[in-house]
Amino acid sequence: AQSVAQPEDQVNVAEGNPLTVKCTYSVSGNPYLFWYVQYPNRGLQFLLKYITGDNLVKGSYGFEAEFNKSQTSFHLKKPSALVSDSALYFCAVRDTLGGVGGYQKVTFGTGTKLQVIP
Amino acid sequence: KAGVTQTPRYLIKTRGQQVTLSCSPISGHRSVSWYQQTPGQGLQFLFEYFSETQRNKGNFPGRFSGRQFSNSRSEMNVSTLELGDSALYLCASSLTGGNNEKLFFGSGTQLSVL
């Protein structure tokens, strides 16, 4: 079974400082990993994904994430936070094993609220 | 290109009633999935449809059902509503539902059960 954990309900960071939003996962095979962002009263928007290859993945709005297989982590990072980055961030995973006909459902974490303080 | 469209945007129902939510995917997308979002629970997977067939199902009671039409539009139905069904229901689409595909989400339907 696949699962994903976001250990922090909320992360506060000062504008201009680097930010990290944590995510760990558990899968039986190999993971496909995703980050999505949700602004107030909006649906989720895709930020970036890791499928295979380079462990450092770059995405939208200056965000990047580092895949660490030994620590089963996929933390979201940004070198310099903006007030406009304040939103709810979701990590998601799909296992390469299991599912129906090879198609696996997406499992989301519970979300981390990022608050960037001016 | 139009995004994922969900209607209605808001719904208020009373316990015991039923409700139908609609989702129109991005043109050309054939996979539609549904999620329930509640504070503290994150997004819970409801089901996924591809080519009018349910391909995956989450751990929700049988009161939650869905279907997909030949034009890929999807509907979700909840019967005998309970207070705990109050949530934001999100629909997402992708080309084929492949495991490495990103999802495109609609703005959601906010359901309040009184």
Side-chain angles (χ1 to χ4, degrees):
Chain A
Q2 62 188 26
S3 65
V4 63
Q6 294 181 243
E8 301 155 319
D9 289 336
Q10 181 158 335
V11 170
N12 297 319
V13 63
E15 187 176 24
N17 281 4
L19 69 87
T20 298
V21 182
K22 296 179 180 178
C23 171
T24 58
Y25 67 90
S26 175
V27 295
S28 300
N30 292 309
Y32 292 145
L33 293 156
F34 304 82
W35 276 101
Y36 290 86
V37 59
Q38 185 177 39
Y39 298 102
N41 300 313
R42 300 282 298 278
L44 277 71
Q45 297 178 30
F46 170 79
L47 276 179
L48 50 81
K49 66 179 178 180
Y50 171 82
I51 303 301
T52 187
D54 195 349
N55 290 343
L56 186 63
V57 179
K58 294 187 183 299
S60 307
Y61 312 121
F63 283 94
E64 57 188 28
E66 186 169 10
F67 171 67
N68 187 316
K69 188 170 184 177
S70 63
Q71 297 185 7
T72 61
S73 67
F74 189 57
H75 300 331
L76 182 70
K77 300 181 180 183
K78 188 174 183 181
S80 179
L82 300 172
V83 172
S84 57
D85 292 330
S86 298
L88 190 55
Y89 290 81
F90 289 93
C91 182
V93 67
R94 261 174 152 159
D95 198 341
T96 56
L97 292 181
V100 176
Y103 291 93
Q104 181 66 275
K105 67 179 184 181
V106 182
T107 297
F108 284 88
T110 52
T112 298
K113 183 178 180 180
L114 174 66
Q115 192 77 29
V116 181
I117 303 161
Chain B
K1 202 174 190 181
V4 178
T5 303
Q6 289 188 248
T7 57
R9 186 70 180 89
Y10 300 95
L11 266 177
I12 300 176
K13 294 286 185 179
T14 56
R15 278 181 299 173
Q17 288 187 309
Q18 75 165 17
V19 66
T20 299
L21 283 54
S22 180
C23 172
S24 293
I26 289 173
S27 178
H29 285 192
R30 295 169 63 194
S31 168
V32 174
S33 51
W34 290 88
Y35 301 84
Q36 181 194 67
Q37 184 179 7
T38 54
Q41 292 291 318
L43 274 76
Q44 302 291 314
F45 172 79
L46 281 156
F47 25 65
E48 185 227 351
Y49 287 88
F50 177 78
S51 291
E52 302 178 67
T53 301
Q54 187 181 85
R55 190 156 61 183
N56 272 301
K57 189 177 190 310
N59 298 322
F60 278 82
R63 300 186 296 108
F64 291 80
S65 63
R67 59 178 176 169
Q68 187 181 34
F69 302 95
S70 58
N71 61 357
S72 294
R73 190 178 71 84
S74 177
E75 286 182 348
M76 188 191 108
N77 186 76
V78 188
S79 63
T80 320
L81 283 166
E82 300 177 359
L83 295 178
D85 297 333
S86 294
L88 179 66
Y89 290 87
L90 292 167
C91 163
S93 75
S94 66
L95 277 170
T96 67
N99 291 337
N100 62 351
E101 291 179 0
K102 65 182 181 183
L103 299 175
F104 293 82
F105 284 85
S107 296
T109 294
Q110 183 69 53
L111 173 64
S112 297
V113 182
L114 306 178

